[in-house]
Structure formats: structure tokens, C-alpha cells
């Protein structure tokens, strides 16, 4: 625990040293864009907008990913009950426990899902690469913003990412199996018509 404490304290001190009004504005925007309630709203909106289209499965996947993820992170926070950091002034106030970071969890889930779906698509290599790089950068910016703003210890953010990996993996596997099943059915239906 001594190494984790040193890592957390060094990370928070670095965040404090890097603070400027302009960076603070950027970090507030990044942090607000990944609030779990905002992401749950995005999931619900995607589901509503895609309900009557061929994209409905993607809307369902996104809704399950974000609402299920918000529920999982809430359970984990209650389980560990880690208080928020007090080493540096927090520029945002949160009413939940600190560990693991919900913003880190939800951002990795959301942007990882977008990247995973794009990688399975027939889009160009350049577009797939751009989506993956943008998603990774955005996810890292959101996690960094939580430390910069004093909302989390760095270890909270890393734990949020780590907790998201099995959830994201399960979602991508489920999506892949669903798409493979739909494709097999389409092939079988086409062969039956011959």
C-alpha cells in the first residue's frame, strides 16, 4: 500500500502543479462529457432513436453497456467505500465514493464499444484507425481530468479502467456472437430461396 499511496500523492501533486485556468476549462469539459448520468442518457437516447431501424441491436447494446455499467460501478463503489482524496483542493464536488472511478469505467466502456463495433465493420483501415486513436485519447483525457480536478486518486482511475475491461470484453463477445448468428441466418435464408 505504501507504493500505491506514493503513486496517488505524486499524481495529485503533479495535477496541482499543472493547473491553469485554460487547462481547468478543458478538463471540466472532458469530465462533464463522461458523467455516468450523461452517458446513461446517451444510451437511452440511442435506444430510442434506433428502436425502429436496422440499427436497433446497436442501440440495445449501447443502452445495456451504459446502464449496466452504471449499475456495476455503483455496486463497486459501495463495496469498497473509499473516501474522496483530500490532499489537494477538489475543483468538483462528488457525492459518491471514490473507488473505482465511474468516469474512467464508463468512458472505457463507451469508447471501447465504439471502437470494437468499428473494427468489425467494413469501413476503411484509415477510418478504423482514426476511431480507435480518437477513442483511446478521449478515454485517457477523461481519466486524467478526474485526477486533475481532484475528484479521484490516480489509482481510482486505473481501477475504473481495469474494472471496465471484463465488462467491455463481455459486451463485445456478445455483440460478435449476435452478429455471427444474424449472418448465418441470412445465409441460410438466401440458400433456402435458391
Amino acid at each position: 500500500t505504501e507504493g500505491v499511496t506514493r503513486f496517488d500523492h505524486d499524481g495529485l501533486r503533479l495535477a496541482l502543479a499543472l493547473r491553469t485556468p485554460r487547462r481547468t476549462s478543458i478538463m471540466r469539459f472532458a469530465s462533464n462529457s463522461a458523467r455516468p448520468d450523461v452517458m446513461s442518457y446517451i444510451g437511452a437516447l440511442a435506444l430510442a432513436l434506433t428502436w425502429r431501424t436496422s440499427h436497433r441491436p446497436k442501440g440495445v447494446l449501447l443502452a445495456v453497456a451504459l446502464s449496466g455499467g452504471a449499475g456495476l460501478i455503483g455496486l463497486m463503489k459501495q463495496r469498497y467505500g473509499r473516501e474522496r482524496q483530500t490532499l489537494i483542493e477538489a475543483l468538483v464536488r462528488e457525492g459518491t465514493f471514490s473507488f473505482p472511478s465511474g468516469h474512467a469505467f464508463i468512458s472505457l466502456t463507451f469508447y471501447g464499444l465504439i471502437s470494437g463495433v468499428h473494427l468489425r465493420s467494413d469501413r476503411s483501415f484509415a477510418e478504423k484507425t482514426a476511431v480507435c486513436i480518437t477513442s483511446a485519447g478521449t478515454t485517457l483525457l477523461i481519466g486524467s481530468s478526474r485526477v486533475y480536478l481532484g475528484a479521484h486518486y490516480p489509482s481510482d482511475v486505473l481501477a475504473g479502467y481495469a474494472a471496465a475491461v471484463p465488462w467491455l470484453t463481455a459486451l463485445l463477445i456478445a455483440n460478435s456472437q449476435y452478429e455471427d448468428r444474424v449472418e448465418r441466418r441470412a445465409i441460410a435464408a438466401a440458400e433456402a430461396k435458391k
Side-chain angles (χ1 to χ4, degrees), residues 116-153:
V117 167
H118 268 76
L119 287 173
R120 282 187 56 90
S121 72
D122 58 357
R123 311 236 178 198
S124 70
F125 176 77
E127 186 174 347
K128 290 177 184 180
T129 302
V131 167
C132 289
I133 290 171
T134 302
S135 294
T138 304
T139 301
L140 291 173
L141 177 64
I142 290 166
S144 300
S145 75
R146 301 305 288 162
V147 177
Y148 178 94
L149 295 171
H152 284 287
Y153 292 103

Side-chain angles (χ1 to χ4, degrees), residues 160-193:
Y161 290 147
V165 169
W167 177 238
L168 176 60
T169 301
L171 292 165
L172 290 173
I173 289 171
N175 182 58
S176 175
Q177 290 176 344
Y178 172 79
E179 287 182 348
D180 289 346
R181 191 177 328 124
V182 168
E183 186 177 341
R184 284 193 303 271
R185 285 183 183 167
I187 291 170
E191 289 176 357
K193 287 182 180 179

Side-chain angles (χ1 to χ4, degrees), residues 23-161:
R23 284 189 192 126
T24 300
S25 296
I26 293 168
M27 293 301 196
R28 282 186 193 278
F29 177 80
S31 179
N32 287 334
S33 69
R35 286 188 3 223
D37 59 331
V38 170
M39 296 304 255
S40 294
Y41 174 75
I42 289 170
L45 184 62
L47 183 59
L49 292 176
T50 61
W51 190 251
R52 293 181 183 260
T53 70
S54 62
H55 297 291
R56 179 176 18 171
K58 297 289 188 278
V60 170
L61 179 65
L62 189 58
V64 168
L66 297 179
S67 59
L72 286 171
I73 202 69
L75 290 172
M76 285 186 269
K77 283 179 179 287
Q78 289 301 317
R79 164 67 177 89
Y80 293 105
R82 185 181 196 187
E83 296 297 327
R84 297 279 171 172
Q85 69 82 26
T86 57
L87 186 66
I88 66 172
E89 177 192 4
L91 301 179
V92 293
R93 297 282 177 238
E94 301 291 347
T96 61
F97 289 117
S98 184
F99 184 90
S101 167
H103 284 67
F105 182 98
I106 290 293
S107 65
L108 181 59
T109 299
F110 179 73
Y111 291 106
L113 198 58
I114 289 172
S115 295
V117 167
H118 268 76
L119 287 173
R120 282 187 56 90
S121 72
D122 58 357
R123 311 236 178 198
S124 70
F125 176 77
E127 186 174 347
K128 290 177 184 180
T129 302
V131 167
C132 289
I133 290 171
T134 302
S135 294
T138 304
T139 301
L140 291 173
L141 177 64
I142 290 166
S144 300
S145 75
R146 301 305 288 162
V147 177
Y148 178 94
L149 295 171
H152 284 287
Y153 292 103
S155 60
D156 297 337
V157 172
L158 293 179
Y161 290 147

